[in-house]
């Protein structure tokens, strides 16, 4: 067993040497291992809300206060944000002081990272909601002047010269934007040419829960609480063409027009593109079950062409939440507090054909059926963060069991040596 872990560690170390900023939809070879690496740090309280990979560094955000080294057990105070080295798990000195929790992180250029959240101060200075930080020093990058609020950033992704931010905000850096904005990656200036004009017919607050961008930077997908985009019907899911002048795509779906439980103003929680950009996958909560409902499911949509598109397939949990999704060439990974997959007729129980997949699962991209891959994850609120990188699949949650072993809120399921 030790030889096996040593071999995995060598493989991961080799892969991260060439790793850059993490992007959605990694072309990983095959399904990742069911056995997590042993060296990821253990977060001892709170929950993970976001992770980003910058070179050989993983930056982790959430509402925690204490992190422990996996090998020695030595503890370090880290409020809301910390960083560790891929391949070794060594915690870095990176420890900026934020007076609130972090809700999203994204890789930045030149050894930097963006953090967003409920904080109003950074290292004692007033700086609300959004900051770019230097990984080497932990200090705020002075040239990036964006701030957030009122409202909150809930998701971010970077692509080329841009940083995309989604959430419940109504303004960002003083510019009016309903839940979604594009900012310069270096200055934080809001792009005046990007406004999808998201809106809700009931007049409620627009909320964007997840944003993804294709690897070529030409298309964006966003999910959340909205009904229209640029005046056109777009129930909870919108695609935009962003390679040139930004515009709402002619692609649409009516799959999510039907309501789930009324307590959910939006039941979509995660979205990710395939590595080649030909399809996307959406993860949903909703608190209801049934073979005709899209609640508590993961679904694939092909995104070529225009017009209304039905899902290619839907895999239902039988009434348990899915929070996150990450797509590779070999699998559509989902995380949540689900108990089963392949469970369209379940009602918080295992219906006909259901397979046990607690907390984490992998779905065949072609058939939509659960793969045999089943590392298991303790459920809790659930796996809210899945991030693909050349080293494998990073997992973030509020619990401490992954692959039937203790892993405090963070794990890495590595690529399999061939």
């Amino acid at each position: 067993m030790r030889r096996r872990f040593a071999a995995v560690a060598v493989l991961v170390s080799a892969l991260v040497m060439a790793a850059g900023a993490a992007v959605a939809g990694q072309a990983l070879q095959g399904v990742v291992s069911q056995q997590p690496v042993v060296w990821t740090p253990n977060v001892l309280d709170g929950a993970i809300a976001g992770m980003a990979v910058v070179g050989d560094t993983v930056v982790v955000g959430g509402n925690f206060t204490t992190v422990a080294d996996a090998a020695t057990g030595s503890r370090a105070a880290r409020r809301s944000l910390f960083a560790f080295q891929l391949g070794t798990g060594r915690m870095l000195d990176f420890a900026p002081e934020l007076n609130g929790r972090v809700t999203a992180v994204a890789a930045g250029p030149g050894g930097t990272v963006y953090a967003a959240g409920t904080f109003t101060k950074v290292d004692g200075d007033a700086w609300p909601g959004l900051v770019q930080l230097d990984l080497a020093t932990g200090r705020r990058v002075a040239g990036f002047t964006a701030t957030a609020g009122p409202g909150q950033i809930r998701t971010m992704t970077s692509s080329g010269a841009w940083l995309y931010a989604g959430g419940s905000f109504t303004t960002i850096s003083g510019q009016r934007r309903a839940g979604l904005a594009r900012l310069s990656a270096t200055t934080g200036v809001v792009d005046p040419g990007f406004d999808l004009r998201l809106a809700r017919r009931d007049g409620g607050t627009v909320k964007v829960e997840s944003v993804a961008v294709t690897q070529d930077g030409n298309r964006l997908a966003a999910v959340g609480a909205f009904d229209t985009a640029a005046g056109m019907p777009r129930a909870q899911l919108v695609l935009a063409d962003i390679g040139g002048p930004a515009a709402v795509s002619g692609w649409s779906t009516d799959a999510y027009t039907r309501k789930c439980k009324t307590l959910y103003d939006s039941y979509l929680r995660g979205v990710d593109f395939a590595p080649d950009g030909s399809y996307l996958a959406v993860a949903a909560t909703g608190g209801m079950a049934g073979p005709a409902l899209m609640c508590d499911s993961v679904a694939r949509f092909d995104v070529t062409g225009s017009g209304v598109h039905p899902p290619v397939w839907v895999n239902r949990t039988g009434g348990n939440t899915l929070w996150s999704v990450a797509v590779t060439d070999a699998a559509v990974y989902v995380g949540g507090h689900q108990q089963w997959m392949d469970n369209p007729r379940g009602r918080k129980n295992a219906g006909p054909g259901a397979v046990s997949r607690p907390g984490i699962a992998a779905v065949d991209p072609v058939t939509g059926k659960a793969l045999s891959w089943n590392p298991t994850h303790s459920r809790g609120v659930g796996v809210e963060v899945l991030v693909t990188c050349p080293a494998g699949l990073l997992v973030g949650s509020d619990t401490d069991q992954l692959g039937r072993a203790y892993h405090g809120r963070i794990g890495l399921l590595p690529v399999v040596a061939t």
Side-chain angles (χ1 to χ4, degrees):
M1 186 64 75
R2 287 182 180 176
R3 288 180 179 176
R4 179 185 176 189
F5 285 140
V8 170
V10 169
L11 177 63
V12 171
S13 296
L15 286 167
V16 301
M17 289 299 290
V23 292
Q26 289 287 319
L28 301 179
Q29 295 299 311
V31 179
V32 297
S33 174
Q34 297 183 89
Q35 182 63 58
V37 300
V38 298
W39 42 257
T40 48
N42 295 308
V43 175
L44 303 184
D45 59 351
I48 307 305
M51 287 192 278
V53 180
V54 184
D56 67 349
T57 298
V58 180
V59 184
V60 183
N63 65 345
F64 47 83
T65 63
T66 310
V67 183
D69 182 270
T72 67
S74 61
R75 299 186 177 193
R78 292 289 190 274
R79 181 176 180 181
S80 303
L81 197 65
F82 83 101
F84 68 92
Q85 186 180 54
L86 270 173
T88 68
R90 180 178 64 86
M91 278 190 288
L92 306 184
D93 292 333
F94 177 79
E97 294 183 11
L98 308 176
N99 69 337
R101 65 190 175 97
V102 169
T103 54
V105 292
T112 67
V113 68
Y114 306 100
T118 63
F119 54 87
T120 58
K121 293 183 178 181
V122 178
D123 293 329
D125 297 328
W127 203 265
L130 175 60
V131 65
Q132 184 183 20
L133 297 163
D134 188 299
L135 284 174
T137 66
R139 304 294 294 176
R140 182 173 68 83
V141 177
F144 185 84
T145 60
T147 57
Q152 181 187 109
I153 293 174
R154 305 159 82 95
T155 178
M156 293 190 296
T157 190
S158 55
S159 176
W162 303 111
L163 173 67
Y164 295 88
S168 58
F169 53 83
T170 54
T171 65
I172 190 163
S173 294
Q175 302 298 309
R176 293 192 62 82
R177 289 292 185 276
L180 183 63
R182 181 164 77 178
L183 296 80
S184 164
T186 54
T187 68
V189 172
V190 177
D191 178 11
F194 180 92
D195 187 358
L196 301 191
R197 294 166 37 217
L198 303 181
R200 289 175 57 172
R201 293 190 179 99
D202 64 4
T205 301
V206 169
K207 300 175 187 174
V208 171
E209 300 286 351
S210 183
V211 173
V213 175
T214 54
Q215 289 192 14
D216 61 13
N218 288 332
R219 303 195 86 179
L220 172 144
V223 299
F226 52 84
D227 306 302
T228 64
M232 295 177 283
R234 293 295 186 272
Q236 302 190 76
L237 169 60
V238 63
L239 260 65
D241 298 316
I242 57 174
V248 175
S249 169
W251 183 100
S252 67
T253 183
D254 58 8
Y256 298 107
T257 55
R258 189 171 178 180
K259 301 296 184 182
C260 293
K261 280 192 175 179
T262 55
L263 63 92
Y264 296 100
D265 53 7
S266 168
Y267 52 92
L268 305 193
R269 289 295 182 266
V271 63
D272 196 21
F273 282 103
D276 65 1
S278 64
Y279 73 89
L280 58 78
V282 178
T285 180
M288 293 176 66
L293 297 174
M294 298 296 286
C295 321
D296 299 310
S297 70
V298 59
R300 169 180 166 159
F301 294 87
D302 289 347
V303 294
T304 55
S306 59
V308 179
H309 285 59
V312 175
W313 50 253
V314 184
N315 193 312
R316 298 173 173 87
T317 69
N320 291 143
T321 291
L322 295 178
W323 294 118
S324 53
V325 61
V327 182
T328 70
D329 280 342
V332 176
Y333 297 99
V334 290
H337 63 244
Q338 79 277 11
Q339 300 173 78
W340 306 279
M341 300 298 293
D342 298 351
N343 196 23
R345 299 190 180 279
R347 299 288 192 278
K348 305 285 187 179
N349 62 357
V355 295
S356 176
R357 296 292 186 272
I360 193 167
V363 176
D364 187 301
V366 177
T367 69
K369 293 294 185 181
L371 298 173
S372 60
W373 187 83
N374 188 24
T376 76
H377 196 290
S378 48
R379 294 174 63 219
V381 172
V383 173
E384 295 195 57
V385 181
L386 292 174
V387 175
T388 55
C389 66
L393 180 68
L394 287 158
V395 182
S397 75
D398 64 321
T399 61
D400 59 11
Q401 296 288 318
L402 174 62
R404 300 176 176 84
Y406 175 76
H407 291 274
R409 293 165 176 80
I410 297 172
L412 172 67
L413 298 161
V415 292
V416 179
T418 55

